[in-house]
Amino acid sequence: QARLLARNFDRVYLALDNDTAGHQGAEILTALLRRHGIPAIMWDYTGLTDDEGRPAKDPGDCPSDDALVDAWDRTRRFGL
């Protein structure tokens, strides 16, 4: 899958879960993509919470579209 991503994109934004497994997966995928010369940027979860105020585990947990747009803008700036 990393090879397919590298073949079709010049950078990849990762929105894996905001937990230990997601972070480990992001590290592995980032290393694989770098071998193909493709930067991988991890989704910025800063300030994202679910509807009960807990830190968001993934973008789908966040009930606020405005907060998601802000997070996407922060994440995109990392990739510039």
Side-chain angles (χ1 to χ4, degrees):
Q1 290 174 342
R3 208 174 12 240
L4 287 172
L5 289 168
R7 191 178 315 146
N8 293 290
F9 301 99
D10 61 358
R11 73 178 54 98
V12 175
Y13 294 91
L14 304 174
L16 301 174
D17 284 354
N18 189 27
D19 59 12
T20 301
H23 291 279
Q24 289 172 346
E27 286 180 28
I28 292 166
L29 187 52
T30 297
L32 289 170
L33 288 166
R34 282 188 184 147
R35 285 189 218 162
H36 294 284
I38 303 299
I41 300 93
M42 183 64 180
W43 180 270
D44 185 357
Y45 284 94
T46 304
L48 289 182
T49 58
D50 64 16
D51 55 0
E52 295 180 14
R54 295 179 301 231
K57 182 177 176 183
D58 62 47
D61 287 343
C62 185
S64 167
D65 289 343
D66 290 336
L68 285 173
V69 169
D70 289 343
W72 171 243
D73 286 341
R74 282 193 311 274
T75 301
R76 247 189 30 232
R77 282 194 296 271
F78 291 138
L80 297 179

